[in-house]
Amino acid sequence: MQGIQLTIGTVSYGATNSPKRYDRFQRYLAEKLQAVVQFEPAFNERKALERLKSQAWSLVFAPPGLAAIAMTQYQYTPLFPLIGVNNLRSVLIVQKDSSHSDLQSLAGKRLAIGQPGSATGYYFPIFNLYGLTLKELFVTPTPKAVLEAVAQGQADAGAVSLEEFNLYKAQLSPAEFRILYNDPHKVPAGVVLVSPSVDLTLQESVRKVLSETPSVIAEEAGFVPTGSIPDYQYMISVVDRVRSIFPADRDEGTALLAQKPVRLFTSGNQTAPQVVSPSPESRTASPASEAPASEPVASPTANSSPYPGSP
């Protein structure tokens, strides 16, 4: 095991995922594998995508959007689930006194989103607005910056997770917000991934050491050594559809995101937006999205169900 070098990567843009939480895990892994273990956080998902593409990270504590791309595009292998928020949801928020009443009303408007790679801030909102043309996509570096863009009137609506919304909204007082749309699909928990560049024998050693991690250290690092890998089928189908419009890991995707106006559909695949009434149980969830998360469904603004580029 001599001469082993491993780099642990994750997204860390605030106190909610401080690099210090991995200190004891980093020392534990180095001791058990007799390896040099480095920790390399990325400020946002776009930077993390670059590291995944180059396979610079040996182990990744990946949030769900990044995990879906890493597994399908770069052959990373999931090892264990992260400790996730139960029922993590993506929401679209607007100012409290906004006149917007549904997703269709955002046509021709400005939307603040997270970085490519974010499940709740990027993939789900673009998927849910598929078929619309927006005035501008305002790509922000962090979830808090999404809310700031809406509060300051730079964007008409913004996309974050429900948990991030509840965390940051009080920090932006006196600005007031409301939820325009609450996606009913559960976002799967993130996962610990191992790079295909890691030798298979070493991969098994890493898996064994992680499975034996003391509970205190595992909880501090945020993963479940006894847990099962969550179902990513629906998450991957959402990512595939959005990547068919904006290939976030390629230069042309960045250029398309910056277009004004920006079309949320692929050439020849625009569908006429269909207004769908909210269900009685949830005034923010459309019936078209009520199928089980493992079954691909049409986005709330589209009237066709096929997913361009889906498996």
Side-chain angles (χ1 to χ4, degrees):
M1 291 281 183
Q2 297 300 319
I4 297 174
Q5 294 189 8
L6 296 172
T7 300
I8 302 171
T10 192
V11 178
S12 180
Y13 43 57
T16 54
N17 194 27
S18 169
K20 291 184 179 180
R21 68 181 294 186
Y22 300 98
D23 286 350
R24 284 206 290 178
F25 172 74
Q26 184 179 351
R27 293 195 297 269
Y28 166 79
L29 190 62
E31 177 185 343
K32 291 298 182 180
L33 293 175
Q34 292 296 293
V36 175
V37 180
Q38 298 177 323
F39 182 78
E40 184 189 278
F43 176 66
N44 56 41
E45 289 87 354
R46 186 184 292 276
K47 294 296 183 183
L49 278 175
E50 295 174 1
R51 307 308 285 164
L52 289 172
K53 186 175 182 179
S54 64
Q55 296 184 356
W57 288 342
S58 316
L59 282 176
V60 188
F61 283 71
L66 287 177
I69 289 183
M71 290 187 287
T72 58
Q73 300 299 316
Y74 305 124
Q75 291 72 55
Y76 276 73
T77 301
L79 299 179
F80 301 99
L82 298 185
I83 298 173
V85 177
N86 290 331
N87 301 321
L88 181 66
R89 308 281 177 160
S90 174
V91 297
L92 288 171
I93 58 99
V94 294
Q95 290 189 17
K96 185 177 180 179
D97 59 358
S98 168
S99 62
H100 296 295
S101 58
D102 55 30
L103 297 182
Q104 312 301 326
S105 66
L106 295 180
K109 303 302 181 181
R110 300 161 301 169
L111 176 68
I113 59 173
Q115 292 286 312
S118 169
T120 55
Y122 181 82
Y123 292 113
F124 274 86
I126 292 178
F127 171 79
N128 287 330
L129 295 171
Y130 186 88
L132 297 185
T133 297
L134 303 181
K135 181 178 181 180
E136 181 182 2
L137 276 178
F138 190 64
V139 182
T140 67
T142 65
K144 185 177 180 180
V146 170
L147 292 181
E148 290 172 338
V150 176
Q152 296 165 8
Q154 294 174 308
D156 300 288
V160 291
S161 74
L162 179 59
E163 290 66 32
E164 291 162 345
F165 174 58
N166 290 330
L167 175 66
Y168 293 119
K169 64 181 180 180
Q171 299 178 23
L172 298 177
S173 179
E176 293 185 290
F177 309 92
R178 63 180 171 85
I179 295 175
L180 176 68
Y181 180 76
N182 187 344
D183 191 299
H185 295 98
K186 296 179 182 178
V187 180
V191 290
V192 180
L193 302 168
V194 62
S195 169
S197 64
V198 176
D199 177 81
L200 289 177
T201 301
L202 179 55
Q203 285 190 27
E204 287 307 310
S205 297
V206 169
R207 185 190 298 271
K208 183 175 186 297
V209 169
L210 262 63
S211 70
E212 298 171 351
T213 303
S215 58
V216 173
I217 296 178
E219 184 174 352
E220 190 173 74
F223 74 101
V224 186
T226 57
S228 301
I229 302 302
D231 182 0
Y232 264 76
Q233 182 180 344
Y234 182 76
M235 180 76 243
I236 289 172
S237 69
V238 169
V239 170
D240 279 348
R241 182 163 201 177
V242 174
R243 289 186 79 252
S244 73
I245 316 171
F246 306 119
D249 50 351
R250 298 202 295 271
D251 291 341
E252 60 265 36
T254 302
L256 289 170
L257 281 172
Q259 286 185 337
K260 300 177 186 179
V262 58
R263 301 184 305 174
L264 303 187
F265 52 89
T266 54
S267 298
N269 282 282
Q270 182 182 18
T271 57
Q274 178 183 5
V275 178
V276 184
S277 300
S279 65
E281 293 79 9
S282 171
R283 297 188 62 82
T284 57
S286 70
S289 300
E290 291 294 342
S294 61
E295 298 177 11
V297 296
S299 61
T301 57
N303 61 7
S304 63
S305 58
Y307 285 78
S310 65

